[in-house]
């Protein structure tokens, strides 16, 4: 099959049939195949004339960038570029200028075609291009800008180029040959049983490669492509009304991301989309984690005939690589000319177990960034970054590799939390992120019994610290959940907590007690109230951030099933007040098992010193008059010790002289002592080996500072 030849035949056969329908708030525009063919022929002529007039641009396989302010113009110009035998790439004019310039440079764009409206908007990105032609078509004015640089992708012929969304890592430029996308088009055309009577929704922007599937399923069958404006797409109810409640030929095939689909309410889906009399033949969801099969069992009307598919793929092997019936929990079977394997971290093949999914092919090979592809029919595998469980050639998606974290000594998958939340009845969209405190924040579109559901289905270490309800999830231009925006919202929520909840240490502890035991405060102990070792660590972590001198003995009290009042007594013992420069004499007892009523008297020493890493040395504890105040950090002084410092600094304070010193060593072998507040170097010495241990001090005060320390070679 030759894609362009087949498209030409379809255009000739169905010349008078409607090919493209565009709906906006201003009304409906329709194009026949004949209309598109005429306009594309003009575009081909303009491209050919431009390149023929430029001697340096006569080589084959040039890449042409498209910037269009209306999405229905893209199919027309794409067909014109393909008729001219060139490669196309659809650009996002709303992207930051530096990103546009970077993409133009990486692709070594030979020419840019854009509407004159956008030429002013992105003028900063056109400095290395020259406008050589202006023409009017379809009521708009277009410009052609050329560059004299040679296209570096001349080793192979590509149909189009696309940039990955960056949702699973750094954005990449992917150049896609016809041999890579054609098997997808052929298989899905047969699987979906596409005919000239179908109406296919164009749900994806043309910067997202699933749009190529939608476009060529239309162009190779004589079906109609139904497009809507971005303004309508942005509002779920407006999109629903446009697709299913207006007087036009019914939509029969939809391919979109799960999040875009799940924005509609279960009631609307059941009554207007997956109802008994639905004309929708195919609903194919891909690009994100697929909803649990129970979701569709609950929202489909009895007797609904719509076929539901789960499509899995990566842009690096554009576009889809696996397909399954949406009623099962697995990723399904490999698509044509595609091989699927699972490998461990060492690259060994796994046939039963958990590993990373890799996609391979000898024909479906894209060029990623500037890589040099081998000649001939070489089998190339691409890692996906997705963890799956394989058993008997069935693949179950588990998580993104970079979404698995270590928490309290346990491996926790944020995707597992998301998946579990989406299995809760009434929750159709969920997503997990970490905030700046590394707390698990779960966003859901409904909070109906979600907390209770998660406690039943997740291990304790995986339970989210905070659950936030947002009815409308932020989306990227590709229709995926915008992780960066959710992380920003999680951090803003944390900042709001800090600003609006000016609690003292006792009030804050009571809030955490209720949050992590999920029970009202009574006379029960921490464990009896629903707490455990994980929630105890979570409480201590948050307490330590807000109140840095929280007692390390608190963890013992919690795990010994003490009551809230007993724990508060310990906290009261930690608070040091500074009234009239007279310190509060209360201190906590390090041996809490003997009873927290016992208090230590504060003894004024000649010198007090301390080391970090969670321990205090000496018989006294440094006084802190700022326990309940906000702490900010700033550079006061710095000193170069030659190499990295692994040892904790040792603080030495002379009370009578009111002098504070700090001693520290580094991997360079240099040991130095400074005045704490001024940073003045009092003395330093170079030892024969690197220093990793901290300084210890004699406590006799007879001969200044005598330091005792161990070097890397275990000598003293």
């Amino acid at each position: 099959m030759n894609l362009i030849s087949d498209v030409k035949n379809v255009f000739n056969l169905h010349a008078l049939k409607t090919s493209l329908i565009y709906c906006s708030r201003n009304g409906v525009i329709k194009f026949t195949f004949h209309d598109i063919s005429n306009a594309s022929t003009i575009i081909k002529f303009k491209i050919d004339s431009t390149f023929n007039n430029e001697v340096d641009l006569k080589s084959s396989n040039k890449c042409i960038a498209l910037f269009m302010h209306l999405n229905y113009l893209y199919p027309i110009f794409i067909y014109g570029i393909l008729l001219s035998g060139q490669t196309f790439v659809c650009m996002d004019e709303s992207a930051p200028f530096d990103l546009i310039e970077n993409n133009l440079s990486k692709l070594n764009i030979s020419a840019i075609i854009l509407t004159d409206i956008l030429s002013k908007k992105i003028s900063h990105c056109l400095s290395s291009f020259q406008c050589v032609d202006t023409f009017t078509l379809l009521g708009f004015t277009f410009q052609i800008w050329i560059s004299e640089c040679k296209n570096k992708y001349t080793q192979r012929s590509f149909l189009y180029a696309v940039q990955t969304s960056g949702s699973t890592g750094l954005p990449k430029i992917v150049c896609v040959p016809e041999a890579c996308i054609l098997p997808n088009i052929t298989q899905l055309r047969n699987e979906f049983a596409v005919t000239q009577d179908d109406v296919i929704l164009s749900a994806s922007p043309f910067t997202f490669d699933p749009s190529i599937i939608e476009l060529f399923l239309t162009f190779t069958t004589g079906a109609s492509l139904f497009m809507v404006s971005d303004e309508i797409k942005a509002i779920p109810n407006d999109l629903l009304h446009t697709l299913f409640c207006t007087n036009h030929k019914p939509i029969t095939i939809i391919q979109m991301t799960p999040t875009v689909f799940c924005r509609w309410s279960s009631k609307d889906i059941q009554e207007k989309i997956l109802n008994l009399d639905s004309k929708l033949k195919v609903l194919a969801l891909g690009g994100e984690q697929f909803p649990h099969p129970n979701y569709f069992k609950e929202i489909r009307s009895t007797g609904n005939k719509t076929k539901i598919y789960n499509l899995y793929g990566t842009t690096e092997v554009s576009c889809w690589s696996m397909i399954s019936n949406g009623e099962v929990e697995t990723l399904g079977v490999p698509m044509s000319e595609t091989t699927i394997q699972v490998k461990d971290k060492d690259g060994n093949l796994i046939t039963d177990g958990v590993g990373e999914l890799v996609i391979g092919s000898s024909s479906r090979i894209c060029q990623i960034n500037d890589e040099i592809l081998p000649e001939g029919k070489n089998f190339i595998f691409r890692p996906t970054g997705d963890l799956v469980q394989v058993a008997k050639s069935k693949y179950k998606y588990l998580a993104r590799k970079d979404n698995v974290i270590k928490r309290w000594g346990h491996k926790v998958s944020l995707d597992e939390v998301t998946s579990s939340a989406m299995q809760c009845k009434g929750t159709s969209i969920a997503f997990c992120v970490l905030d700046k405190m590394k707390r698990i924040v779960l966003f859901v579109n409904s909070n109906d019994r979600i907390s209770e559901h998660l406690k039943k289905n997740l291990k304790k270490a995986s339970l989210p610290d905070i659950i936030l309800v947002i009815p409308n999830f932020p989306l990227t231009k590709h229709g995926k959940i915008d992780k960066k925006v959710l992380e920003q919202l999680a951090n803003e929520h944390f900042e709001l907590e800090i600003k609006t909840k000016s609690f003292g240490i006792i009030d804050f502890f009571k809030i955490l007690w209720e949050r992590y035991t999920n029970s009202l405060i009574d006379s029960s102990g921490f464990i009896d109230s629903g707490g455990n070792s994980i929630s105890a660590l979570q409480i201590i972590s948050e307490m330590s951030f807000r109140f840095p001198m929280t007692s390390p003995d608190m963890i013992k009290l919690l795990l010994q099933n003490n009551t809230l009042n007993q724990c508060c007594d310990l906290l009261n013992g930690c608070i040091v007040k500074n009234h009239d420069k007279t310190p509060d004499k209360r201190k906590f007892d390090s041996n809490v098992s003997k009873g927290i009523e016992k208090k230590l008297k504060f003894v004024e020493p000649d010198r007090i010193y301390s080391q970090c890493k969670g321990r205090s040395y000496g018989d006294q504890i440094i006084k802190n008059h700022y326990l309940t105040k906000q702490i900010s950090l700033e550079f006061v002084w710095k000193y170069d010790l030659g190499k990295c410092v692994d040892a904790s600094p040792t603080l030495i304070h002379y009370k009578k002289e009111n002098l504070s010193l700090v001693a520290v060593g580094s991997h360079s072998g240099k040991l130095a002592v400074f005045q704490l507040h001024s940073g003045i170097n009092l003395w330093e010495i170079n030892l024969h080996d690197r220093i990793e241990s901290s300084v210890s001090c004699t406590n006799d005060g007879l001969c200044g500072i005598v330091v005792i320390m161990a070097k890397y070679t275990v000598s003293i």
Side-chain angles (χ1 to χ4, degrees), residues 421-658:
M422 291 175 64
Q423 294 178 40
C424 180
K425 188 174 182 179
T427 301
S428 57
I429 308 178
F431 201 85
C432 245
V433 299
L434 297 178
D435 67 9
K436 62 174 66 176
M437 281 298 296
K438 302 302 179 184
R439 299 181 302 178
I440 296 178
V441 181
L442 174 65
F443 290 90
V444 293
N445 65 339
S446 171
N447 197 23
D448 187 21
R449 301 185 300 277
I450 187 72
S451 181
E452 180 182 346
H453 169 83
L454 294 176
K455 285 189 174 182
K456 290 181 179 178
N457 292 278
L458 290 176
K459 57 188 179 183
K460 293 175 182 177
S462 298
L463 291 174
D465 300 300
I466 298 173
I467 299 175
L468 299 178
V469 180
I470 50 173
N472 298 310
F473 272 65
L475 303 182
T476 66
K477 287 205 71 171
H478 291 177
K480 299 181 181 182
I481 292 175
D482 197 324
K483 180 180 178 180
K484 293 180 181 178
V485 172
L486 290 185
E487 288 174 338
Q488 182 180 347
L489 291 175
N491 290 329
E492 288 176 356
H493 176 79
F494 173 73
E495 295 295 340
L496 188 63
E497 281 186 314
I498 296 294
K499 291 178 181 178
T500 61
K501 298 180 180 179
S502 301
F503 301 115
I505 190 170
I506 301 299
D507 292 332
F508 189 58
F509 180 72
K510 290 179 180 179
I511 291 171
L512 296 179
W513 179 289
E514 289 184 337
R515 177 191 295 173
Y516 289 110
T517 62
N518 198 34
S519 63
L520 297 175
I521 295 173
D522 55 23
S523 58
S524 302
F526 178 71
I527 303 298
D528 294 338
S529 298
N532 53 64
S533 59
I534 299 297
S535 53
L537 287 170
Q538 290 172 310
I539 289 175
I540 296 302
S541 177
E542 292 204 39
M543 289 287 292
S544 298
F545 180 80
R546 183 76 72 90
F547 304 99
M549 288 298 288
T550 300
S551 168
D553 292 322
M554 178 58 72
I555 189 72
K556 299 179 185 178
L557 282 187
L558 293 173
L559 296 181
Q560 288 172 0
N561 202 29
N562 282 276
T563 66
L564 181 130
N565 287 337
Q566 289 174 314
C567 293
C568 287
D569 285 342
L570 175 62
L571 292 175
N572 282 325
C574 293
I575 300 175
V576 179
K577 298 180 181 179
N578 186 23
H579 295 297
D580 299 326
K581 298 184 179 181
T582 303
D584 193 314
K585 304 299 183 182
R586 293 177 297 173
K587 278 290 164 186
F588 59 84
D589 183 359
S590 61
N591 190 358
V592 294
S593 61
K594 294 182 179 179
I596 56 178
E597 292 80 10
K598 181 181 177 181
K599 312 295 181 192
L600 285 178
K601 292 184 179 181
F602 188 84
V603 180
E604 297 287 356
D606 284 341
R607 294 194 303 276
I608 51 179
Y609 58 94
S610 174
Q611 292 177 336
C612 301
K613 295 190 177 177
R615 296 183 180 180
S616 295
Y617 296 86
D619 296 328
Q620 288 78 33
I621 298 168
I622 294 178
K623 293 180 290 182
N624 189 330
H625 304 301
Y626 306 96
L627 300 184
T628 58
K629 294 184 178 180
Q630 294 294 325
I631 294 177
S632 61
L633 300 177
E634 62 180 28
F635 279 108
V636 177
W637 56 267
K638 58 185 178 180
Y639 187 86
D640 185 8
L641 288 171
K643 290 187 178 180
C644 62
V645 177
D646 279 347
S648 296
T650 297
L651 177 65
I652 305 124
H653 179 69
Y654 288 84
K655 179 177 178 295
K656 293 179 180 178
E657 293 82 3
N658 192 27

